[in-house]
Amino acid sequence: MPRILMTGAAGGIGTSLRKLLPPIYPDLLLSDIKAPADLGANEKFKAAELSDLAQVEAICDGVDGILHFGGYSVEGRWDDILQSNIIGCYNLFEAARRKGVKRVVFASSNHAVGFYPRYHRIGTDVTPRPDSRYGVSKAFGEATGALYADKHGLKVTCIRIGNFGDKPLDHRRLSIWLKPEDLVQLCRIGLEHPDIRFEIVYGASDNERSWWDNHRAYDLGYRPTGKAEDFREHAFAEQAKLKADPVGDFYQGGTFCGMEFSGDGSRIVEKK
Ligand code: 15L
């Protein structure tokens, strides 16, 4: 029975996966800076600060595979992103190497490529176009994962997560929604598939309006069950409550692109 470590156990995704993973991975070790308030008596938890390598090594001890959901999950001040997502992510891969962990699944994000326009269908092999300091940290994590895969033989899967949740929240999320059970499928591929060396996949359900070519995930056996269009009316009703955002509505990364934007607005109408 593999021992799986999940970082970020107290965060949004971690909280949901704490319920979905135990039947598949009964030996699940949870970690975060602080224990989740509702930690069950049968859940195993060890606290760790990701920016402290010794603490990260301690949680990797005896672990076979890691689901790395820890770190900052939205745009933030540079120093917060630096500590949690740059230093913290490096520490995670380095601790995994030192402790002989075999596999890491890294929670990357659509914001690593958020500055691609929505009309542009992209695969996982495009140049990163981060839309935020947070997006830069996710591109860094993918690059670090590639280094540890190529140089040290760690089996690494980066999931560029769209928007995780029970239903798509607005028009943009109809293209990038990820149903929790579909994320579990992708985690299992990363932790178990025999062909993994270094992979990047999109964390998206079976969404008709997707902007992403996710064929590699399907080649690895991914069969998502979520369909964003089933929630179309809800998403449009929620969208109607939002203010127009000329930058965010044009690019894949949405509001992350519009935030602090002082670039060339004339490119927004350009289609090539
Ligand atoms: C993300 O990467 C964030 O973690 C999440 O909070 C959402 O903003 C999501 O992307 C999104 O793009 O909707």
Side-chain angles (χ1 to χ4, degrees):
M1 183 169 46
R3 165 161 277 209
I4 304 301
L5 165 68
M6 181 170 74
T7 66
I13 294 182
T15 301
S16 168
L17 293 198
R18 273 171 57 207
K19 296 179 181 70
L20 297 173
L21 291 174
I24 307 162
Y25 302 114
D27 193 3
L28 182 66
L29 174 64
L30 307 174
S31 184
D32 210 304
I33 307 172
K34 280 202 290 191
D38 61 343
L39 191 72
N42 52 357
E43 288 184 298
K44 289 188 273 293
F45 179 86
K46 267 192 206 171
E49 172 60 71
L50 289 171
S51 58
D52 182 326
L53 179 58
Q55 291 187 32
V56 184
E57 272 194 68
I59 55 170
C60 290
D61 212 17
V63 161
D64 299 295
I66 302 176
L67 297 171
H68 183 41
F69 292 107
Y72 223 75
S73 66
V74 287
E75 178 61 318
R77 293 183 317 128
W78 168 240
D79 196 53
D80 293 329
I81 298 287
L82 175 65
Q83 297 304 324
S84 303
N85 290 17
I86 303 281
I87 296 172
C89 177
Y90 172 79
N91 286 348
L92 190 285
F93 281 109
E94 176 59 11
R97 181 191 72 79
R98 291 187 188 184
K99 292 290 179 178
V101 176
K102 293 181 185 58
R103 292 177 183 246
V104 171
V105 174
F106 169 61
S108 183
S109 167
N110 71 91
H111 296 289
V113 288
F115 260 124
Y116 282 95
R118 296 187 187 188
Y119 62 71
H120 193 152
R121 186 173 167 81
I122 57 172
T124 52
D125 55 349
V126 293
T127 304
R129 298 288 289 273
D131 57 25
S132 48
R133 294 173 287 279
Y134 167 69
V136 169
S137 76
K138 294 301 181 181
F140 170 86
E142 292 181 1
T144 308
L147 172 68
Y148 277 78
D150 291 334
K151 190 159 278 194
H152 305 297
L154 194 65
K155 294 174 193 294
V156 177
T157 305
C158 303
I159 307 176
R160 279 187 192 158
I161 299 175
N163 190 259
F164 175 91
D166 292 332
K167 52 177 121 155
L169 300 172
D170 54 24
H171 182 253
R172 172 175 167 267
R173 269 61 171 257
L174 284 173
S175 299
I176 67 167
W177 178 56
L178 175 61
K179 179 177 160 173
E181 287 78 3
D182 292 341
L183 177 58
V184 171
Q185 274 196 48
L186 291 170
C187 291
R188 290 193 73 170
I189 288 170
L191 291 174
E192 298 172 31
H193 198 291
D195 296 344
I196 301 290
R197 204 173 64 89
F198 175 76
E199 300 287 348
I200 300 177
V201 295
Y202 283 104
S205 289
D206 181 13
N207 305 329
E208 264 176 40
R209 297 167 201 246
S210 179
W211 304 309
W212 302 326
D213 174 356
N214 206 15
H215 75 269
R216 182 61 185 148
Y218 287 79
D219 288 351
L220 291 165
Y222 182 47
R223 298 290 178 268
T225 59
K227 291 182 187 302
E229 289 305 304
D230 291 349
F231 303 93
R232 183 177 43 226
E233 279 170 32
H234 165 80
F236 276 110
E238 291 303 308
Q239 182 67 35
K241 299 176 192 164
L242 302 175
K243 278 207 292 219
D245 171 359
V247 179
D249 292 344
F250 180 77
Y251 291 109
Q252 296 187 5
T255 52
F256 284 57
C257 298
M259 250 176 236
E260 303 171 32
F261 185 83
S262 61
D264 182 1
S266 66
R267 295 181 57 211
I268 288 168
V269 288
E270 201 181 316
K271 184 169 165 121
K272 44 177 178 170

